[in-house]
Amino acid sequence: MGDDNPTRCERCDMRAPEGQTYCDACQRVRRAQATVDESGWGGLTFIQKTGVILLLSAMFAFIVSGAFDDLSPPDSSHRPNPDADVFARTVRANQARREEQEREQRERERKQEKARLAAIEAARPPAERAALATEALTSDGRDAKEAYCRARELLDPIEPKDRGAADVRKALSLTKSKGAVVLQAERAVFEKTRGLMCRDGTMSPTCRCHGPHRGCCSHHRGVAGCEPLPTEVSCP
């Protein structure tokens, strides 16, 4: 069968109306293209058009988000919270109270232990005291002052009537000898920082015994002499 309308569209090669160069569909496309060209959009490539669309979308999103930020309530995270401050002070106060109670409890336990040991010590007979004192004084490697003070702690409570026993006399003699050695060592240490006494009974705040005394105790009625040396071992 022959084609009654041999006219073909120059764009898509489809059948076109008689006397027209393009089919109806292509004519609509051409009219739309002409409208876009008049607005300047048709001169852009596909990538350029896509970039413009993305840019406009980003600007629109930025403007909208800023508007919502302005409408949102202000951040309250930096506002002072009186309830939180009160809670924090309460926690600190409770912690301090617990620590104080723990210190008091430890002090009570220490005193109770000391009293228990004192009761045990008080119950020791003189012979046992003398034996323990002798052992402390003759033990190798034990600090001399510690041994002396332990012997004194054991022997001092012995009544005069019980001091005539041979073992007690021996322990007392060892204690006296050890005390002399310890006292001499303490005096040597004391001499290094020995102070200077003023005539009003006070210590010079700036001068020492082994040093220049010129101008010392000028506001305390002058220099009286060096600080007295210790006469006995200082036991805790």
Side-chain angles (χ1 to χ4, degrees), residues 173-207:
S173 177
L174 286 173
T175 303
K176 184 177 180 181
S177 300
K178 181 69 72 172
V181 175
V182 174
L183 180 60
Q184 184 177 0
E186 282 200 348
R187 284 185 171 186
V189 175
F190 185 83
E191 281 285 4
K192 296 178 181 179
T193 57
R194 191 176 181 184
L196 189 68
M197 298 294 298
C198 300
R199 291 186 180 275
D200 62 356
T202 61
M203 293 281 294
S204 173
T206 56
C207 301

PDB file of all heavy atoms in Angstrom, residues 173-207:
ATOM      1  N   SER A 173      70.954  -1.634 133.581  1.00  0.00           N
ATOM      2  CA  SER A 173      72.328  -1.250 133.255  1.00  0.00           C
ATOM      3  C   SER A 173      72.527  -1.144 131.746  1.00  0.00           C
ATOM      4  O   SER A 173      73.151  -0.192 131.247  1.00  0.00           O
ATOM      5  CB  SER A 173      73.304  -2.270 133.847  1.00  0.00           C
ATOM      6  OG  SER A 173      74.633  -1.940 133.485  1.00  0.00           O
ATOM      7  N   LEU A 174      71.996  -2.111 131.006  1.00  0.00           N
ATOM      8  CA  LEU A 174      72.090  -2.056 129.539  1.00  0.00           C
ATOM      9  C   LEU A 174      71.362  -0.833 128.990  1.00  0.00           C
ATOM     10  O   LEU A 174      71.836  -0.180 128.049  1.00  0.00           O
ATOM     11  CB  LEU A 174      71.496  -3.329 128.937  1.00  0.00           C
ATOM     12  CG  LEU A 174      72.322  -4.608 129.060  1.00  0.00           C
ATOM     13  CD1 LEU A 174      71.523  -5.805 128.562  1.00  0.00           C
ATOM     14  CD2 LEU A 174      73.617  -4.485 128.269  1.00  0.00           C
ATOM     15  N   THR A 175      70.240  -0.523 129.574  1.00  0.00           N
ATOM     16  CA  THR A 175      69.469   0.643 129.129  1.00  0.00           C
ATOM     17  C   THR A 175      70.239   1.928 129.359  1.00  0.00           C
ATOM     18  O   THR A 175      70.266   2.828 128.502  1.00  0.00           O
ATOM     19  CB  THR A 175      68.118   0.691 129.862  1.00  0.00           C
ATOM     20  OG1 THR A 175      67.409  -0.519 129.640  1.00  0.00           O
ATOM     21  CG2 THR A 175      67.279   1.857 129.375  1.00  0.00           C
ATOM     22  N   LYS A 176      70.888   2.036 130.506  1.00  0.00           N
ATOM     23  CA  LYS A 176      71.663   3.244 130.799  1.00  0.00           C
ATOM     24  C   LYS A 176      72.823   3.411 129.819  1.00  0.00           C
ATOM     25  O   LYS A 176      73.082   4.519 129.321  1.00  0.00           O
ATOM     26  CB  LYS A 176      72.183   3.179 132.230  1.00  0.00           C
ATOM     27  CG  LYS A 176      72.918   4.425 132.668  1.00  0.00           C
ATOM     28  CD  LYS A 176      73.341   4.317 134.133  1.00  0.00           C
ATOM     29  CE  LYS A 176      74.082   5.577 134.578  1.00  0.00           C
ATOM     30  NZ  LYS A 176      74.510   5.475 136.005  1.00  0.00           N
ATOM     31  N   SER A 177      73.514   2.320 129.513  1.00  0.00           N
ATOM     32  CA  SER A 177      74.645   2.385 128.574  1.00  0.00           C
ATOM     33  C   SER A 177      74.169   2.761 127.173  1.00  0.00           C
ATOM     34  O   SER A 177      74.763   3.594 126.491  1.00  0.00           O
ATOM     35  CB  SER A 177      75.370   1.038 128.532  1.00  0.00           C
ATOM     36  OG  SER A 177      75.865   0.699 129.806  1.00  0.00           O
ATOM     37  N   LYS A 178      73.103   2.116 126.739  1.00  0.00           N
ATOM     38  CA  LYS A 178      72.570   2.425 125.409  1.00  0.00           C
ATOM     39  C   LYS A 178      72.068   3.863 125.344  1.00  0.00           C
ATOM     40  O   LYS A 178      72.257   4.545 124.328  1.00  0.00           O
ATOM     41  CB  LYS A 178      71.423   1.466 125.073  1.00  0.00           C
ATOM     42  CG  LYS A 178      70.805   1.670 123.706  1.00  0.00           C
ATOM     43  CD  LYS A 178      71.749   1.279 122.596  1.00  0.00           C
ATOM     44  CE  LYS A 178      71.901  -0.233 122.520  1.00  0.00           C
ATOM     45  NZ  LYS A 178      72.661  -0.665 121.319  1.00  0.00           N
ATOM     46  N   GLY A 179      71.477   4.355 126.433  1.00  0.00           N
ATOM     47  CA  GLY A 179      70.985   5.725 126.462  1.00  0.00           C
ATOM     48  C   GLY A 179      72.087   6.745 126.316  1.00  0.00           C
ATOM     49  O   GLY A 179      71.904   7.781 125.657  1.00  0.00           O
ATOM     50  N   ALA A 180      73.245   6.471 126.901  1.00  0.00           N
ATOM     51  CA  ALA A 180      74.374   7.402 126.782  1.00  0.00           C
ATOM     52  C   ALA A 180      74.830   7.515 125.329  1.00  0.00           C
ATOM     53  O   ALA A 180      75.138   8.610 124.836  1.00  0.00           O
ATOM     54  CB  ALA A 180      75.520   6.947 127.674  1.00  0.00           C
ATOM     55  N   VAL A 181      74.879   6.379 124.633  1.00  0.00           N
ATOM     56  CA  VAL A 181      75.302   6.387 123.226  1.00  0.00           C
ATOM     57  C   VAL A 181      74.292   7.137 122.368  1.00  0.00           C
ATOM     58  O   VAL A 181      74.655   7.954 121.508  1.00  0.00           O
ATOM     59  CB  VAL A 181      75.488   4.943 122.723  1.00  0.00           C
ATOM     60  CG1 VAL A 181      75.806   4.937 121.230  1.00  0.00           C
ATOM     61  CG2 VAL A 181      76.583   4.236 123.499  1.00  0.00           C
ATOM     62  N   VAL A 182      73.031   6.870 122.604  1.00  0.00           N
ATOM     63  CA  VAL A 182      71.982   7.525 121.816  1.00  0.00           C
ATOM     64  C   VAL A 182      71.954   9.019 122.081  1.00  0.00           C
ATOM     65  O   VAL A 182      71.803   9.833 121.158  1.00  0.00           O
ATOM     66  CB  VAL A 182      70.613   6.884 122.119  1.00  0.00           C
ATOM     67  CG1 VAL A 182      69.495   7.645 121.419  1.00  0.00           C
ATOM     68  CG2 VAL A 182      70.591   5.424 121.696  1.00  0.00           C
ATOM     69  N   LEU A 183      72.125   9.419 123.352  1.00  0.00           N
ATOM     70  CA  LEU A 183      72.117  10.839 123.695  1.00  0.00           C
ATOM     71  C   LEU A 183      73.282  11.564 123.040  1.00  0.00           C
ATOM     72  O   LEU A 183      73.130  12.702 122.550  1.00  0.00           O
ATOM     73  CB  LEU A 183      72.169  11.008 125.208  1.00  0.00           C
ATOM     74  CG  LEU A 183      72.165  12.450 125.723  1.00  0.00           C
ATOM     75  CD1 LEU A 183      70.891  13.168 125.273  1.00  0.00           C
ATOM     76  CD2 LEU A 183      72.282  12.483 127.252  1.00  0.00           C
ATOM     77  N   GLN A 184      74.436  10.943 122.994  1.00  0.00           N
ATOM     78  CA  GLN A 184      75.600  11.565 122.353  1.00  0.00           C
ATOM     79  C   GLN A 184      75.333  11.788 120.859  1.00  0.00           C
ATOM     80  O   GLN A 184      75.684  12.831 120.300  1.00  0.00           O
ATOM     81  CB  GLN A 184      76.824  10.678 122.541  1.00  0.00           C
ATOM     82  CG  GLN A 184      78.117  11.294 121.996  1.00  0.00           C
ATOM     83  CD  GLN A 184      79.317  10.410 122.263  1.00  0.00           C
ATOM     84  OE1 GLN A 184      79.193   9.331 122.847  1.00  0.00           O
ATOM     85  NE2 GLN A 184      80.483  10.855 121.849  1.00  0.00           N
ATOM     86  N   ALA A 185      74.704  10.826 120.217  1.00  0.00           N
ATOM     87  CA  ALA A 185      74.378  10.971 118.793  1.00  0.00           C
ATOM     88  C   ALA A 185      73.357  12.079 118.587  1.00  0.00           C
ATOM     89  O   ALA A 185      73.459  12.863 117.630  1.00  0.00           O
ATOM     90  CB  ALA A 185      73.853   9.638 118.252  1.00  0.00           C
ATOM     91  N   GLU A 186      72.375  12.165 119.469  1.00  0.00           N
ATOM     92  CA  GLU A 186      71.375  13.229 119.349  1.00  0.00           C
ATOM     93  C   GLU A 186      71.994  14.605 119.550  1.00  0.00           C
ATOM     94  O   GLU A 186      71.635  15.569 118.872  1.00  0.00           O
ATOM     95  CB  GLU A 186      70.240  12.994 120.359  1.00  0.00           C
ATOM     96  CG  GLU A 186      69.250  11.935 119.942  1.00  0.00           C
ATOM     97  CD  GLU A 186      67.927  12.064 120.688  1.00  0.00           C
ATOM     98  OE1 GLU A 186      67.864  12.829 121.672  1.00  0.00           O
ATOM     99  OE2 GLU A 186      66.957  11.396 120.279  1.00  0.00           O
ATOM    100  N   ARG A 187      72.926  14.702 120.483  1.00  0.00           N
ATOM    101  CA  ARG A 187      73.577  15.990 120.697  1.00  0.00           C
ATOM    102  C   ARG A 187      74.387  16.423 119.480  1.00  0.00           C
ATOM    103  O   ARG A 187      74.447  17.613 119.163  1.00  0.00           O
ATOM    104  CB  ARG A 187      74.476  15.904 121.935  1.00  0.00           C
ATOM    105  CG  ARG A 187      73.717  15.933 123.249  1.00  0.00           C
ATOM    106  CD  ARG A 187      74.683  15.964 124.427  1.00  0.00           C
ATOM    107  NE  ARG A 187      73.982  16.200 125.687  1.00  0.00           N
ATOM    108  CZ  ARG A 187      74.598  16.380 126.853  1.00  0.00           C
ATOM    109  NH1 ARG A 187      75.929  16.318 126.927  1.00  0.00           N
ATOM    110  NH2 ARG A 187      73.892  16.611 127.952  1.00  0.00           N
ATOM    111  N   ALA A 188      75.039  15.464 118.812  1.00  0.00           N
ATOM    112  CA  ALA A 188      75.817  15.792 117.618  1.00  0.00           C
ATOM    113  C   ALA A 188      74.921  16.359 116.523  1.00  0.00           C
ATOM    114  O   ALA A 188      75.284  17.318 115.834  1.00  0.00           O
ATOM    115  CB  ALA A 188      76.543  14.551 117.122  1.00  0.00           C
ATOM    116  N   VAL A 189      73.747  15.782 116.369  1.00  0.00           N
ATOM    117  CA  VAL A 189      72.797  16.303 115.381  1.00  0.00           C
ATOM    118  C   VAL A 189      72.255  17.657 115.825  1.00  0.00           C
ATOM    119  O   VAL A 189      72.094  18.580 115.021  1.00  0.00           O
ATOM    120  CB  VAL A 189      71.642  15.293 115.176  1.00  0.00           C
ATOM    121  CG1 VAL A 189      70.580  15.876 114.254  1.00  0.00           C
ATOM    122  CG2 VAL A 189      72.170  13.982 114.625  1.00  0.00           C
ATOM    123  N   PHE A 190      72.006  17.805 117.120  1.00  0.00           N
ATOM    124  CA  PHE A 190      71.451  19.037 117.663  1.00  0.00           C
ATOM    125  C   PHE A 190      72.422  20.205 117.476  1.00  0.00           C
ATOM    126  O   PHE A 190      72.010  21.344 117.222  1.00  0.00           O
ATOM    127  CB  PHE A 190      71.141  18.839 119.149  1.00  0.00           C
ATOM    128  CG  PHE A 190      70.449  19.995 119.797  1.00  0.00           C
ATOM    129  CD1 PHE A 190      69.077  20.158 119.698  1.00  0.00           C
ATOM    130  CD2 PHE A 190      71.172  20.946 120.515  1.00  0.00           C
ATOM    131  CE1 PHE A 190      68.447  21.229 120.302  1.00  0.00           C
ATOM    132  CE2 PHE A 190      70.545  22.018 121.117  1.00  0.00           C
ATOM    133  CZ  PHE A 190      69.177  22.160 121.011  1.00  0.00           C
ATOM    134  N   GLU A 191      73.741  19.925 117.590  1.00  0.00           N
ATOM    135  CA  GLU A 191      74.747  20.976 117.481  1.00  0.00           C
ATOM    136  C   GLU A 191      74.721  21.659 116.126  1.00  0.00           C
ATOM    137  O   GLU A 191      75.061  22.840 116.007  1.00  0.00           O
ATOM    138  CB  GLU A 191      76.143  20.388 117.729  1.00  0.00           C
ATOM    139  CG  GLU A 191      76.486  20.154 119.188  1.00  0.00           C
ATOM    140  CD  GLU A 191      76.809  21.436 119.943  1.00  0.00           C
ATOM    141  OE1 GLU A 191      76.699  22.538 119.356  1.00  0.00           O
ATOM    142  OE2 GLU A 191      77.165  21.342 121.128  1.00  0.00           O
ATOM    143  N   LYS A 192      74.311  20.928 115.079  1.00  0.00           N
ATOM    144  CA  LYS A 192      74.338  21.492 113.731  1.00  0.00           C
ATOM    145  C   LYS A 192      73.344  22.631 113.569  1.00  0.00           C
ATOM    146  O   LYS A 192      73.568  23.537 112.747  1.00  0.00           O
ATOM    147  CB  LYS A 192      74.032  20.396 112.712  1.00  0.00           C
ATOM    148  CG  LYS A 192      75.072  19.288 112.682  1.00  0.00           C
ATOM    149  CD  LYS A 192      74.687  18.205 111.682  1.00  0.00           C
ATOM    150  CE  LYS A 192      75.705  17.077 111.664  1.00  0.00           C
ATOM    151  NZ  LYS A 192      75.337  15.997 110.709  1.00  0.00           N
ATOM    152  N   THR A 193      72.291  22.621 114.331  1.00  0.00           N
ATOM    153  CA  THR A 193      71.268  23.673 114.228  1.00  0.00           C
ATOM    154  C   THR A 193      71.017  24.329 115.593  1.00  0.00           C
ATOM    155  O   THR A 193      69.944  24.891 115.805  1.00  0.00           O
ATOM    156  CB  THR A 193      69.953  23.082 113.692  1.00  0.00           C
ATOM    157  OG1 THR A 193      69.527  22.023 114.558  1.00  0.00           O
ATOM    158  CG2 THR A 193      70.127  22.534 112.281  1.00  0.00           C
ATOM    159  N   ARG A 194      71.984  24.265 116.468  1.00  0.00           N
ATOM    160  CA  ARG A 194      71.807  24.795 117.833  1.00  0.00           C
ATOM    161  C   ARG A 194      71.533  26.293 117.790  1.00  0.00           C
ATOM    162  O   ARG A 194      72.232  27.057 117.119  1.00  0.00           O
ATOM    163  CB  ARG A 194      73.051  24.500 118.666  1.00  0.00           C
ATOM    164  CG  ARG A 194      72.893  24.757 120.150  1.00  0.00           C
ATOM    165  CD  ARG A 194      74.157  24.341 120.873  1.00  0.00           C
ATOM    166  NE  ARG A 194      74.045  24.560 122.318  1.00  0.00           N
ATOM    167  CZ  ARG A 194      75.038  24.345 123.175  1.00  0.00           C
ATOM    168  NH1 ARG A 194      76.216  23.897 122.721  1.00  0.00           N
ATOM    169  NH2 ARG A 194      74.859  24.563 124.466  1.00  0.00           N
ATOM    170  N   GLY A 195      70.496  26.705 118.474  1.00  0.00           N
ATOM    171  CA  GLY A 195      70.104  28.099 118.436  1.00  0.00           C
ATOM    172  C   GLY A 195      70.837  28.971 119.433  1.00  0.00           C
ATOM    173  O   GLY A 195      71.709  28.512 120.184  1.00  0.00           O
ATOM    174  N   LEU A 196      70.466  30.247 119.433  1.00  0.00           N
ATOM    175  CA  LEU A 196      71.080  31.246 120.312  1.00  0.00           C
ATOM    176  C   LEU A 196      69.997  31.841 121.200  1.00  0.00           C
ATOM    177  O   LEU A 196      68.949  32.260 120.710  1.00  0.00           O
ATOM    178  CB  LEU A 196      71.745  32.341 119.477  1.00  0.00           C
ATOM    179  CG  LEU A 196      72.620  33.338 120.236  1.00  0.00           C
ATOM    180  CD1 LEU A 196      73.878  32.636 120.762  1.00  0.00           C
ATOM    181  CD2 LEU A 196      73.030  34.488 119.305  1.00  0.00           C
ATOM    182  N   MET A 197      70.255  31.858 122.500  1.00  0.00           N
ATOM    183  CA  MET A 197      69.281  32.358 123.465  1.00  0.00           C
ATOM    184  C   MET A 197      69.522  33.835 123.752  1.00  0.00           C
ATOM    185  O   MET A 197      70.668  34.289 123.849  1.00  0.00           O
ATOM    186  CB  MET A 197      69.382  31.581 124.775  1.00  0.00           C
ATOM    187  CG  MET A 197      69.089  30.100 124.649  1.00  0.00           C
ATOM    188  SD  MET A 197      67.375  29.757 124.215  1.00  0.00           S
ATOM    189  CE  MET A 197      66.534  30.456 125.651  1.00  0.00           C
ATOM    190  N   CYS A 198      68.426  34.566 123.881  1.00  0.00           N
ATOM    191  CA  CYS A 198      68.501  35.980 124.250  1.00  0.00           C
ATOM    192  C   CYS A 198      68.241  36.124 125.755  1.00  0.00           C
ATOM    193  O   CYS A 198      67.746  35.209 126.414  1.00  0.00           O
ATOM    194  CB  CYS A 198      67.470  36.790 123.465  1.00  0.00           C
ATOM    195  SG  CYS A 198      67.689  36.710 121.671  1.00  0.00           S
ATOM    196  N   ARG A 199      68.586  37.296 126.294  1.00  0.00           N
ATOM    197  CA  ARG A 199      68.488  37.513 127.738  1.00  0.00           C
ATOM    198  C   ARG A 199      67.046  37.570 128.242  1.00  0.00           C
ATOM    199  O   ARG A 199      66.811  37.413 129.443  1.00  0.00           O
ATOM    200  CB  ARG A 199      69.214  38.804 128.121  1.00  0.00           C
ATOM    201  CG  ARG A 199      70.722  38.718 127.964  1.00  0.00           C
ATOM    202  CD  ARG A 199      71.397  39.969 128.500  1.00  0.00           C
ATOM    203  NE  ARG A 199      72.842  39.885 128.346  1.00  0.00           N
ATOM    204  CZ  ARG A 199      73.665  39.286 129.206  1.00  0.00           C
ATOM    205  NH1 ARG A 199      73.157  38.704 130.274  1.00  0.00           N
ATOM    206  NH2 ARG A 199      74.956  39.243 128.986  1.00  0.00           N
ATOM    207  N   ASP A 200      66.103  37.788 127.329  1.00  0.00           N
ATOM    208  CA  ASP A 200      64.706  37.792 127.772  1.00  0.00           C
ATOM    209  C   ASP A 200      64.085  36.395 127.720  1.00  0.00           C
ATOM    210  O   ASP A 200      62.884  36.221 127.902  1.00  0.00           O
ATOM    211  CB  ASP A 200      63.875  38.768 126.940  1.00  0.00           C
ATOM    212  CG  ASP A 200      63.836  38.397 125.471  1.00  0.00           C
ATOM    213  OD1 ASP A 200      64.526  37.424 125.079  1.00  0.00           O
ATOM    214  OD2 ASP A 200      63.130  39.074 124.700  1.00  0.00           O
ATOM    215  N   GLY A 201      64.918  35.379 127.454  1.00  0.00           N
ATOM    216  CA  GLY A 201      64.449  34.008 127.448  1.00  0.00           C
ATOM    217  C   GLY A 201      63.956  33.505 126.110  1.00  0.00           C
ATOM    218  O   GLY A 201      63.542  32.341 126.018  1.00  0.00           O
ATOM    219  N   THR A 202      63.989  34.336 125.095  1.00  0.00           N
ATOM    220  CA  THR A 202      63.536  33.922 123.766  1.00  0.00           C
ATOM    221  C   THR A 202      64.717  33.461 122.921  1.00  0.00           C
ATOM    222  O   THR A 202      65.871  33.737 123.238  1.00  0.00           O
ATOM    223  CB  THR A 202      62.818  35.074 123.054  1.00  0.00           C
ATOM    224  OG1 THR A 202      63.738  36.173 122.889  1.00  0.00           O
ATOM    225  CG2 THR A 202      61.615  35.544 123.856  1.00  0.00           C
ATOM    226  N   MET A 203      64.396  32.766 121.850  1.00  0.00           N
ATOM    227  CA  MET A 203      65.411  32.322 120.885  1.00  0.00           C
ATOM    228  C   MET A 203      65.596  33.391 119.821  1.00  0.00           C
ATOM    229  O   MET A 203      64.634  34.012 119.376  1.00  0.00           O
ATOM    230  CB  MET A 203      64.968  31.020 120.227  1.00  0.00           C
ATOM    231  CG  MET A 203      64.922  29.819 121.168  1.00  0.00           C
ATOM    232  SD  MET A 203      66.550  29.136 121.461  1.00  0.00           S
ATOM    233  CE  MET A 203      66.936  28.545 119.839  1.00  0.00           C
ATOM    234  N   SER A 204      66.841  33.606 119.415  1.00  0.00           N
ATOM    235  CA  SER A 204      67.104  34.547 118.330  1.00  0.00           C
ATOM    236  C   SER A 204      66.486  34.016 117.039  1.00  0.00           C
ATOM    237  O   SER A 204      66.708  32.851 116.682  1.00  0.00           O
ATOM    238  CB  SER A 204      68.601  34.737 118.136  1.00  0.00           C
ATOM    239  OG  SER A 204      68.850  35.528 116.984  1.00  0.00           O
ATOM    240  N   PRO A 205      65.715  34.828 116.335  1.00  0.00           N
ATOM    241  CA  PRO A 205      65.062  34.333 115.114  1.00  0.00           C
ATOM    242  C   PRO A 205      66.015  34.191 113.935  1.00  0.00           C
ATOM    243  O   PRO A 205      65.692  33.502 112.970  1.00  0.00           O
ATOM    244  CB  PRO A 205      63.990  35.393 114.834  1.00  0.00           C
ATOM    245  CG  PRO A 205      64.535  36.637 115.434  1.00  0.00           C
ATOM    246  CD  PRO A 205      65.324  36.218 116.650  1.00  0.00           C
ATOM    247  N   THR A 206      67.184  34.837 113.993  1.00  0.00           N
ATOM    248  CA  THR A 206      68.085  34.850 112.833  1.00  0.00           C
ATOM    249  C   THR A 206      69.454  34.269 113.123  1.00  0.00           C
ATOM    250  O   THR A 206      70.137  33.828 112.201  1.00  0.00           O
ATOM    251  CB  THR A 206      68.254  36.287 112.316  1.00  0.00           C
ATOM    252  OG1 THR A 206      68.720  37.120 113.383  1.00  0.00           O
ATOM    253  CG2 THR A 206      66.933  36.834 111.785  1.00  0.00           C
ATOM    254  N   CYS A 207      69.901  34.252 114.374  1.00  0.00           N
ATOM    255  CA  CYS A 207      71.267  33.829 114.699  1.00  0.00           C
ATOM    256  C   CYS A 207      71.285  32.393 115.220  1.00  0.00           C
ATOM    257  O   CYS A 207      70.299  31.887 115.745  1.00  0.00           O
ATOM    258  CB  CYS A 207      71.882  34.759 115.739  1.00  0.00           C
ATOM    259  SG  CYS A 207      71.966  36.498 115.194  1.00  0.00           S
TER     260      CYS A 207
END
